[in-house]
Amino acid sequence: MDENLLSSEPELEKQLETNIKQGLTTEQVELKKTQYGLNELPQGKMTPWYLIFLKTLIEPILLVLMGAAVISIVAPIISNGGHVEASEFIDAAVILSIVLIDAVLETVQTIKARKSMDALKSLSKPKAVVIRNDMQQEIDASELVPGDIVVLEAGKYIPAELRIVESNDLTIDEANLTGESLPVEKTHLPMKETTTILAEMKNIAFMSTFITSGRAIGVVIKTGENTEIGKIAKSINENEEESTPLERKLNSFTYWVSGLSFVLAILIFTTLFFSGSKDAWANYLMVAITLAIGVIPECLAAVVSITLSISTKKMVKQNVIIKKLQAVETLGNVNFICTDKTGTLTQNKMTVKKMIMDNKILESKEYAKEKNDNHMDLFLKALVLCNDSVTEGNERIGDPTELALVDYAEIIGYDEQDSRDVWTRIDEMPFDSERKMMTTVNNVNGVNTAFTKGAIDQLLQRCSKIMIDNVLRDITDEDKKVLLEMSNNLSKDALRVLAFAYHLNYDKLEDKDDLEHDLVFLGAVGMIDPVRETAVNAVQLAHDAGIEVVMITGDHAVTALAIAKELDLAHSEYEVMSSDTLNQLDDKQLLRVIEQIKVFARVNPEHKVRIVDALKQKGNITSMTGDGVNDAPSLSKADIGVAMGITGTDVAKQASDIILTDDNFETIIKGVNEGRNVYQKIKRAIAFVIGVNLANVLSIFILSVINSVSPLEATNILWMNLIVESIIALAMGMGANDPSLMKIKPIKGKNSLFKGLGFTLFKIILFTTIASIGAYYFGMMFMTQEELRVILRNQEYNGTWHQALRDSSIHVEDKIEIGDYGRTTMFVAITCAPCFYANTIKLSNWKADKKLDLIVNKPLWLASMLAICLNLIAIFIPGFNDKILNLTEVTKYNSTNWYLIPGAFAIALFPVIFMLILDGVVYATYHYKPDPWRRNRILAQELVELDIIKEKQKRKSKKKVNQ
């Protein structure tokens, strides 16, 4: 801040070329408009819908799928010598449809989130009262220029950055900018020393902050992007959007799958070429490419998008707006939540919590139940009459502390407007920062009575009497000592203490200056911006889920620590760091202590960014929550930014990934739960798809090497991948959430999508491969010698079907026909076995508890039954089964082979049976026969948890005693 702008009025007029009394002339305004432009915040670039759509199409996994679609067209053309039929385009059409569905879903979700965010805009204050050409007039705030003289009053937003030149009892709520919960007293006096801390610039009014009380005149010193809020908005717009952890993992996964499919294609083609007939190279190429495509999870992109889309719809009902689909999963992986205090953990509403009454500390709720005697009557009159705040419906104008007083009085039955109408104000002494008191004189039932409120230490110096238990007596030094000690105890708990007194001798006073002397002490209140009741529970849920919650606030350390203790966030001053200490630490020093600090107090916006950056450097997935302009840079910097929808500024919403429409910290934890379940569902789908695909490729590769011909056709594999697999994988994302996931600690640092999937993949690949190969050989048992001779058109042939498949002199087309029975039973196994075991692929926290909570996924059961029905239809529809899928014709079934299909179904049940048996053995061993090392670890963990419970109980008991 330029020192001249903080100094005297003549220097201010000279620098800004203005006249504080008369304002700017019309000519000066037009000239300055050309020089400075409009007083508007910089807007972020709005990406049009078609660019969002095109951007989704160039994501790695979709590019691979489009490449697979092209190959599925080119391969048949090569194998058929340039001839191609319309049916060859079916595979490409299905793959491209999946690509388009995914792109459309993500585009629609992004646009919907943008519309929802626009609907939440709340800080639109377009008018300002200015003095121009020596006349007062109202103009659009966007028309303001440096040098304009602006008239300010309570209940208005500051339209630009102003240097205050006249003020009367001016307080401004700067929580949106600085994070400080209490309004700041402002002055028009020049500042002797410059400061970089915004909250200490006492003669500057910042754009978009709110006037809670008083009146003032200010001169515009900065507009638009040059203001503090403008600088923040500009920095947000210049930030490059980072990809989410899920996007990075999916991209890495795509490269891995692409490389694997390429290697498999070369390996399979080489193996078939050298083990079979060289003349059939085109067929081998087709098989190799088909199997390579078979590894690629064509449905995965759609599974991810649909699963995320379903979750975003659920979260809208839970008051969460997701601006980007992948942000759901990121929220699930968060292990540090950095949150603003005011309005997020607290109610952003000062509330009377304690009373000093009759030389005792009382709970405000208990005092409200007491009998309304003369003492209470006078005290309540003091609350509402010595007060300038106004509440009417949803409109609340005034200082938050004064609003808290009338709110409390209203609970007991005193309405401030009715009271002021009955007991009219006839005189007053406004609040003064030197006196630290305010006095009003009201006509109470014909008697002019003075009511005074102020700092308790100042007020006690002016009191000669005290009212205790409804009895008036002289106040003693001992009384004052006890009252001050009580006040100090409340202050240690971060309560703001305000004392009240009265006297009846107004008419006898010779000098108004004597109005605040010879007072009768009535009592005092302790006020605080209380924590949300739901926030306490939410913090506990976060801790149970292994998530650290860090409070970052502009408030003083004492206030912040008191709130942190109530939330069970921090318990000692060693867990609190102020901005002064933070400024003294270099980046290396901060990294060493960053994870031990639970409260950061008195911070500026740049401090928040530094804190988030340090946590990210330590490998943490970090979320930042907030509502103010001061939160916007850190919201943008965090892995996941969460803005408040009700109290949040437009800048904060613009910088965030997620918006809470109820401003409730507990909603974030619901989002974490949803995010963890989304990630788990996606991992289940990946385990299922990759496991099944690799099992199919492995079984086909083994049988191809043994028999020198592929046991399945390309259409069989594509049916499996695009029909059966897709139906089941999509249904995996539609099931109910698993609450046990909120008991698992998030994995710190980078971790692959395959982390924790090794055992699941092993089971799927092993048992499915065995079942597939077994089903093939079971089917080939039905190949008779007579049928073999008919296919080979050789009545003298005495070899087995296996010898015929290995014979290089036999045409590939004949070998394919020979394998009809084996192909049919193997087709049943590979398409039906996944339908049976899809419901057993659980990645829930079964290690945490011996009790198993079975979660039934109804959509998955229905999808599995649908897939089995489709398989049956495919097997028995004439023409489709033999012409397209190359399965056994219906006419070939007879009394000797009628159990071919039932037998194949029985083999398809083997994988799920063996998986359940293996899971049961592992579960029983883990819980009932743990190894010595893990048994000792369990005992140690139980002791630690017991100590934590005892410590919490001790703190609660101590808190009750203090109360």
Side-chain angles (χ1 to χ4, degrees):
M1 185 72 70
D2 192 321
E3 287 187 38
N4 290 330
L5 299 180
L6 301 174
S7 56
S8 63
E9 291 182 16
E11 292 174 346
L12 198 62
E13 286 182 320
K14 182 179 178 182
Q15 184 166 347
L16 295 172
E17 299 176 349
T18 188
N19 185 301
I20 290 174
K21 299 297 181 185
Q22 299 178 356
L24 297 173
T25 64
T26 304
E27 292 76 14
Q28 285 178 304
V29 170
E30 293 303 320
L31 187 63
K32 291 195 175 192
K33 274 186 188 177
T34 306
Q35 183 179 355
Y36 297 103
L38 291 175
N39 177 36
E40 294 177 339
L41 295 180
Q43 298 294 319
K45 294 180 181 178
M46 194 69 73
T47 308
W49 69 266
Y50 55 86
L51 286 182
I52 297 172
F53 179 76
L54 292 175
K55 186 180 178 182
T56 60
L57 290 178
I58 60 172
E59 291 177 359
I61 197 164
L62 297 188
L63 288 175
V64 171
L65 288 178
M66 287 187 278
V70 173
I71 292 172
S72 69
I73 296 173
V74 174
I77 295 175
I78 295 174
S79 63
N80 295 330
H83 175 70
V84 64
E85 297 180 2
S87 60
E88 305 289 357
F89 291 95
I90 294 175
D91 306 333
V94 174
I95 295 173
L96 290 175
S97 297
I98 291 173
V99 169
L100 288 174
I101 289 170
D102 177 69
V104 168
L105 278 172
E106 188 157 346
T107 303
V108 169
Q109 175 60 28
T110 303
I111 293 172
K112 282 174 65 178
R114 181 190 292 172
K115 289 180 179 178
S116 298
M117 189 177 70
D118 291 341
L120 285 170
K121 287 187 175 179
S122 59
L123 280 184
S124 178
K125 309 294 175 182
K127 299 295 182 181
V129 176
V130 298
I131 298 173
R132 286 180 179 174
N133 299 312
D134 202 17
M135 294 174 57
Q136 188 167 301
Q137 55 187 285
E138 188 176 59
I139 63 169
D140 287 338
S142 60
E143 299 290 321
L144 288 173
V145 294
D148 261 323
I149 310 302
V150 181
V151 179
L152 305 172
E153 60 182 16
K156 301 291 185 181
Y157 277 86
I158 306 296
E161 213 105 300
L162 308 176
R163 161 68 161 86
I164 301 165
V165 292
E166 288 184 25
S167 64
N168 181 17
D169 191 24
L170 180 65
T171 59
I172 298 179
D173 182 355
E174 296 182 344
N176 279 342
L177 185 63
T178 65
E180 188 167 359
S181 57
L182 292 175
V184 179
E185 293 177 17
K186 293 290 183 176
T187 177
H188 60 277
L189 301 174
M191 290 181 62
K192 297 177 181 179
E193 297 180 3
T194 58
T195 177
T196 58
I197 299 176
L198 301 182
E200 295 178 359
M201 297 181 183
K202 300 297 185 182
N203 60 2
I204 301 295
F206 298 102
M207 185 176 184
S208 289
T209 57
F210 183 76
I211 304 170
T212 56
S213 67
R215 296 173 296 277
I217 293 177
V219 55
V220 176
I221 55 176
K222 292 181 181 179
T223 58
E225 66 179 31
N226 296 318
T227 62
E228 291 299 325
I229 184 176
K231 291 174 186 176
I232 294 171
K234 186 178 179 181
S235 69
I236 298 301
N237 296 334
E238 290 173 353
N239 284 348
E240 292 185 9
E241 188 175 358
E242 294 183 5
S243 57
T244 66
L246 179 61
E247 288 175 311
R248 294 193 290 270
K249 289 173 185 176
L250 285 175
N251 291 346
S252 175
F253 170 74
T254 303
Y255 298 137
W256 181 86
V257 170
S258 304
L260 177 63
S261 62
F262 181 74
V263 171
L264 276 175
I266 295 174
L267 180 63
I268 292 169
F269 175 75
T270 305
T271 303
L272 293 176
F273 183 78
F274 287 106
S275 64
S277 173
K278 306 296 186 291
D279 295 333
W281 70 268
N283 179 270
Y284 299 151
L285 178 62
M286 183 62 187
V287 171
I289 292 174
T290 303
L291 288 178
I293 294 173
V295 176
I296 299 171
E298 292 92 344
C299 63
L300 185 59
V303 168
V304 171
S305 288
I306 291 173
T307 302
L308 292 173
S309 185
I310 290 170
S311 289
T312 57
K313 288 181 180 178
K314 283 184 187 177
M315 292 179 77
V316 166
K317 295 177 182 178
Q318 296 178 340
N319 301 309
V320 183
I321 292 175
I322 306 296
K323 291 172 61 179
K324 189 176 182 182
L325 283 176
Q326 285 80 1
V328 182
E329 180 273 339
T330 309
L331 188 56
N333 280 331
V334 160
N335 63 333
F336 261 88
I337 297 179
C338 299
T339 176
D340 183 33
K341 176 184 75 70
T342 307
T344 307
L345 295 173
T346 64
Q347 298 174 16
N348 197 20
K349 179 183 176 182
M350 293 297 287
T351 305
V352 175
K353 299 293 287 184
K354 298 285 182 73
M355 318 286 295
I356 297 177
M357 193 64 59
D358 301 327
N359 282 5
K360 295 180 291 187
I361 294 179
L362 306 173
E363 291 288 336
S364 60
K365 291 180 181 178
E366 293 301 317
Y367 180 73
K369 296 175 184 176
E370 290 192 2
K371 184 180 179 181
N372 192 345
D373 54 20
N374 183 52
H375 189 176
M376 177 181 278
D377 181 63
L378 286 168
F379 182 71
L380 293 175
K381 283 184 171 72
L383 295 187
V384 297
L385 298 178
C386 187
N387 195 315
D388 288 329
S389 65
V390 177
T391 62
E392 187 171 355
N394 293 326
E395 188 173 356
R396 298 169 59 83
I397 300 174
D399 184 274
T401 56
E402 291 195 334
L403 288 168
L405 298 176
V406 297
D407 286 342
Y408 181 68
E410 191 166 344
I411 292 173
I412 304 178
Y414 274 67
D415 180 81
E416 86 277 4
Q417 293 198 43
D418 291 343
S419 299
R420 292 167 193 168
D421 289 341
V422 175
W423 303 305
T424 56
R425 182 182 297 185
I426 59 175
D427 201 354
E428 67 178 303
M429 291 181 67
F431 178 84
D432 183 277
S433 57
E434 292 183 7
R435 288 171 28 249
K436 294 184 179 179
M437 285 187 290
M438 170 186 177
T439 298
T440 63
V441 180
N442 295 77
N443 188 317
V444 179
N445 302 325
V447 179
N448 293 331
T449 307
F451 294 99
T452 302
K453 72 176 178 188
I456 190 168
D457 56 339
Q458 297 292 320
L459 197 68
L460 286 173
Q461 294 176 20
R462 318 274 181 120
C463 290
S464 60
K465 297 183 183 296
I466 186 171
M467 186 172 283
I468 295 180
D469 295 328
N470 207 27
V471 176
L472 193 66
R473 66 168 173 81
D474 291 337
I475 192 168
T476 65
D477 290 339
E478 182 62 26
D479 288 329
K480 293 181 180 181
K481 181 181 177 182
V482 169
L483 290 169
L484 288 173
E485 189 175 335
M486 289 179 180
S487 174
N488 289 335
N489 289 335
L490 294 184
S491 297
K492 288 177 184 177
D493 290 333
L495 272 72
R496 186 180 187 188
V497 179
L498 204 57
F500 296 85
Y502 85 103
H503 74 66
L504 305 172
N505 299 321
Y506 174 75
D507 295 330
K508 299 178 182 179
L509 295 177
E510 296 180 1
D511 191 342
K512 188 176 179 179
D513 290 339
D514 295 331
L515 187 61
E516 292 176 347
H517 290 84
D518 196 25
L519 301 175
V520 178
F521 185 83
L522 288 170
V525 297
M527 294 174 287
I528 195 170
D529 179 11
V531 300
R532 292 174 179 264
E533 292 181 8
T534 54
V536 179
N537 182 53
V539 170
Q540 183 59 53
L541 289 174
H543 288 163
D544 292 343
I547 301 170
E548 295 291 340
V549 180
V550 179
M551 182 198 297
I552 306 178
T553 178
D555 272 340
H556 291 281
V558 173
T559 305
L561 180 57
I563 295 294
K565 285 179 178 178
E566 203 167 340
L567 290 164
D568 201 22
L569 278 182
H571 304 97
S572 72
E573 59 187 20
Y574 301 107
E575 296 174 283
V576 181
M577 181 179 288
S578 66
S579 57
D580 292 336
T581 306
L582 186 60
N583 285 331
Q584 293 170 10
L585 299 179
D586 60 30
D587 291 342
K588 288 184 180 179
Q589 291 171 323
L590 180 60
L591 282 174
R592 283 199 292 269
V593 300
I594 187 68
E595 293 179 328
Q596 280 72 53
I597 304 301
K598 305 305 178 191
V599 178
F600 289 91
R602 208 65 176 160
V603 296
N604 277 351
E606 62 270 17
H607 294 139
K608 296 187 178 187
V609 175
R610 192 178 172 207
I611 292 163
V612 170
D613 191 48
L615 286 169
K616 288 176 69 174
Q617 286 185 47
K618 294 286 283 187
N620 298 295
I621 303 297
T622 306
S623 168
M624 175 68 195
T625 71
D627 54 2
V629 176
N630 61 318
D631 299 316
S634 49
L635 288 172
S636 179
K637 183 70 176 176
D639 292 296
I640 189 83
V642 183
M644 302 296 129
I646 299 173
T647 59
T649 60
D650 294 341
V651 177
K653 293 170 192 172
Q654 180 184 334
S656 65
D657 304 292
I658 290 175
I659 300 171
L660 307 182
T661 58
D662 63 351
D663 286 14
N664 194 335
F665 185 78
E666 188 179 31
T667 306
I668 302 170
I669 307 303
K670 292 178 183 177
V672 171
N673 181 36
E674 189 67 40
R676 289 190 177 186
N677 276 276
V678 163
Y679 190 51
Q680 197 76 321
K681 289 170 184 177
I682 290 171
K683 287 185 72 171
R684 284 186 67 192
I686 288 173
F688 173 77
V689 171
I690 294 298
V692 170
N693 285 357
L694 289 177
N696 292 342
V697 170
L698 183 60
S699 57
I700 293 169
F701 178 69
I702 291 171
L703 290 172
S704 297
V705 171
I706 295 172
N707 300 322
S708 75
V709 66
S710 173
L712 294 178
E713 290 289 281
T715 50
N716 304 143
I717 298 167
L718 288 167
W719 173 272
M720 171 65 210
N721 286 2
L722 302 179
I723 305 299
V724 179
E725 202 172 70
S726 297
I727 291 173
I728 296 174
L730 287 171
M732 282 184 170
M734 299 178 185
N737 286 346
D738 182 356
S740 70
L741 295 179
M742 288 302 286
K743 299 295 182 181
I744 303 175
K745 290 188 177 182
I747 301 170
K748 183 178 175 180
K750 297 180 180 179
N751 55 88
S752 164
L753 275 173
F754 291 103
K755 193 172 185 69
L757 298 183
F759 184 61
T760 302
L761 286 171
F762 168 76
K763 290 186 298 181
I764 294 173
I765 294 170
L766 176 64
F767 295 129
T768 307
T769 301
I770 292 172
S772 300
I773 295 174
Y776 179 81
Y777 281 103
F778 170 75
M780 292 309 295
M781 289 168 53
F782 293 89
M783 173 57 66
T784 64
Q785 192 71 37
E786 184 60 33
E787 283 181 298
L788 187 59
R789 289 171 180 169
V790 171
I791 293 170
L792 297 177
R793 294 171 296 280
N794 183 355
Q795 294 300 318
E796 303 299 325
Y797 187 79
N798 291 317
T800 63
W801 61 267
H802 182 259
Q803 290 172 331
L805 293 179
R806 296 286 300 173
D807 193 338
S808 60
S809 64
I810 296 176
H811 294 295
V812 172
E813 289 77 9
D814 292 336
K815 291 183 179 182
I816 292 171
E817 190 174 352
I818 290 170
D820 276 358
Y821 287 122
R823 184 178 307 106
T824 302
T825 49
M826 188 174 180
F827 176 81
V828 172
I830 70 166
T831 56
C832 293
C835 300
F836 296 137
Y837 62 67
N839 291 277
T840 69
I841 302 175
K842 298 291 183 185
L843 300 173
S844 60
N845 189 21
W846 60 269
K847 291 182 179 181
D849 199 337
K850 292 179 181 179
K851 183 182 176 182
L852 278 176
D853 292 325
L854 297 178
I855 299 171
V856 178
N857 186 343
K858 292 181 181 178
L860 184 55
W861 280 102
L862 292 172
S864 299
M865 288 188 282
L866 174 63
I868 291 172
C869 292
L870 289 172
N871 292 335
L872 289 171
I873 293 170
I875 292 168
F876 292 113
I877 290 181
F880 183 78
N881 62 351
D882 58 333
K883 301 298 182 185
I884 296 177
L885 295 176
N886 281 312
L887 303 178
T888 303
E889 295 179 34
V890 177
T891 55
K892 286 189 176 183
Y893 297 114
N894 52 51
S895 59
T896 60
N897 65 8
W898 63 270
Y899 56 92
L900 177 76
I901 301 302
F905 267 103
I907 293 172
L909 282 169
F910 287 167
V912 68
I913 293 171
F914 283 106
M915 284 182 188
L916 289 173
I917 292 172
L918 185 58
D919 284 345
V921 171
V922 172
Y923 177 81
T925 304
Y926 184 88
H927 283 291
Y928 297 101
K929 292 290 183 182
D931 58 81
W933 179 85
R934 195 167 62 79
R935 184 170 60 248
N936 293 335
R937 187 179 176 187
I938 292 170
L939 289 172
Q941 186 175 351
E942 288 175 352
L943 290 172
V944 169
E945 289 175 353
L946 187 62
D947 287 341
I948 291 172
I949 292 170
K950 287 181 178 178
E951 183 64 28
K952 285 184 178 179
Q953 289 174 343
K954 190 186 294 183
R955 285 199 297 266
K956 286 181 180 178
S957 300
K958 187 177 179 181
K959 187 176 179 181
K960 286 181 179 178
V961 170
N962 291 336
Q963 290 175 350

